[in-house]
């Protein structure tokens, strides 16, 4: 059975969205309410630790915000996180502590757990990235199917499927996931904890916990 529940993928102690996410069984169920969750969490943040910049934007006073980027609300940026030049945060983005949002990286409707790195030329939309997950340079989430139909998440052998009832679903990366440079995570990709993806891969479906995605049909257990 595919281990794709929130409790399978994430340690909720590493995100400010823990209470919100705990309401759901599957991570894609949380995508619809990220905006409202950020607004609710933002209203509770300590003004001694967070500066409110613009409408519905809360940025930790210890965060490093470089010049020449764009940040739209609602958005929370956690302690000691870096937002580097050229970053484009379109809104509905909850970015945890000790994260890196890199040059030319675009975020939209996402939850990034603590210590996530999206440091170089990444697009992350309608996605949830777990603790210490890392997307290599140029790797992106594709969040809409080419035919614009609703996203269905499927196991690699097609024996299990999960209807999301959403047109936009990016990737759900578990804790400690590593995505190789130049990879595309197709709509509805779920990567289990401690799994990794080879560079230049086109991934779809579910990659089990502790496995390595080398190519379509070639997924091996990490040793």
């Amino acid at each position: 059975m595919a281990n794709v529940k929130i409790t399978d993928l994430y340690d909720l102690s590493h995100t400010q969205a823990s209470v919100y996410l705990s309401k759901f069984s599957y991570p894609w169920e949380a995508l619809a309410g990220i905006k409202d969750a950020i607004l609710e969490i933002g209203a509770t943040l300590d003004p001694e630790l967070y500066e409110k910049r613009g409408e519905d934007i809360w940025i930790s006073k210890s965060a490093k915000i470089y010049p020449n980027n764009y940040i739209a609300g609602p958005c929370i940026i956690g302690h000691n996180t870096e937002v580097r030049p050229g970053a484009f945060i379109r809104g509905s983005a909850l970015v945890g502590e000790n994260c890196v949002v890199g040059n030319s990286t675009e975020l939209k409707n996402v939850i990034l757990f603590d210590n996530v790195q999206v440091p170089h030329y990444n697009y992350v939309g309608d996605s949830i990235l777990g603790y210490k997950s890392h997307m290599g340079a140029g790797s992106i989430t594709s969040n809409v199917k080419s035919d614009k139909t609703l996203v269905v998440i499927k196991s690699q052998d097609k024996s299990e499927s999960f209807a999301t009832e959403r047109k936009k679903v990016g990737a759900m990366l578990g804790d400690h996931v590593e995505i190789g440079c130049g990879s595309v995570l197709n709509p509805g990709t779920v990567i289990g904890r401690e799994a990794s993806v080879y560079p230049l891969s086109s991934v779809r479906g579910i990659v089990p916990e502790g496995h390595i995605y080398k190519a379509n049909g070639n997924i091996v257990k990490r040793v």
Side-chain angles (χ1 to χ4, degrees):
M1 177 176 287
N3 295 322
V4 294
K5 290 186 175 181
I6 286 173
T7 51
D8 298 322
L9 296 169
Y10 306 115
D11 178 348
L12 294 183
S13 69
H14 293 294
T15 177
Q16 290 176 308
S18 58
V19 173
Y20 173 67
L21 289 173
S22 66
K23 299 175 183 178
F24 304 98
S25 295
Y26 299 102
W28 53 87
E29 295 172 333
L31 294 176
I34 289 176
K35 177 179 178 179
D36 290 338
I38 292 171
L39 292 172
E40 185 174 342
I41 295 166
T44 69
L45 295 176
D46 186 346
E48 294 295 318
L49 299 176
Y50 284 83
E51 178 183 354
K52 195 157 186 254
R53 302 189 189 179
E55 186 174 0
D56 302 325
I57 300 170
W58 294 269
I59 298 179
S60 168
K61 293 181 180 180
S62 65
K64 175 67 173 177
I65 310 298
Y66 287 82
N68 302 319
N69 53 52
Y70 177 85
I71 302 173
C75 178
I76 296 172
I77 296 175
H79 304 312
N80 303 308
T81 282
E82 292 186 16
V83 179
R84 293 175 176 170
F88 180 28
I89 300 178
R90 289 168 50 189
S92 298
L94 197 168
V95 182
E97 301 180 4
N98 304 303
C99 293
V100 177
V101 180
N103 57 306
S104 301
T105 290
E106 180 178 349
L107 303 180
K108 170 253 179 188
N109 199 51
V110 295
I111 296 174
L112 273 55
F113 278 54
D114 299 338
N115 295 81
V116 167
Q117 294 193 9
V118 283
H120 310 288
Y121 315 111
N122 305 112
Y123 172 69
V124 186
D126 299 285
S127 299
I128 300 176
L129 276 54
Y131 177 63
K132 286 193 174 180
S133 60
H134 171 254
M135 294 186 65
S139 60
I140 63 170
T141 65
S142 173
N143 58 339
V144 181
K145 295 170 64 176
S146 58
D147 61 7
K148 307 300 189 292
T149 57
L150 300 180
V151 175
V152 177
I153 295 169
K154 298 178 181 180
S155 59
Q156 293 294 325
D157 62 5
K158 308 297 192 298
S159 63
E160 291 185 84
S161 64
F162 302 86
T164 69
E165 305 299 332
R166 289 182 57 85
K167 189 174 79 170
K168 293 186 178 182
V169 180
M172 310 292 130
L173 305 189
D175 296 339
H176 300 277
V177 162
E178 181 73 29
I179 306 299
C181 296
S183 295
V184 176
L185 307 180
N186 287 282
T189 296
V190 180
I191 312 288
R193 294 179 193 241
E194 305 282 352
S196 59
V197 171
Y198 269 19
L200 300 177
S201 297
S202 177
V203 187
R204 65 181 70 250
I206 301 165
V207 177
E209 176 178 343
H211 281 65
I212 301 172
Y213 185 100
K214 295 184 175 183
N216 186 27
N218 186 10
I219 301 174
V220 301
K221 190 171 180 60
R222 187 185 296 278
V223 294

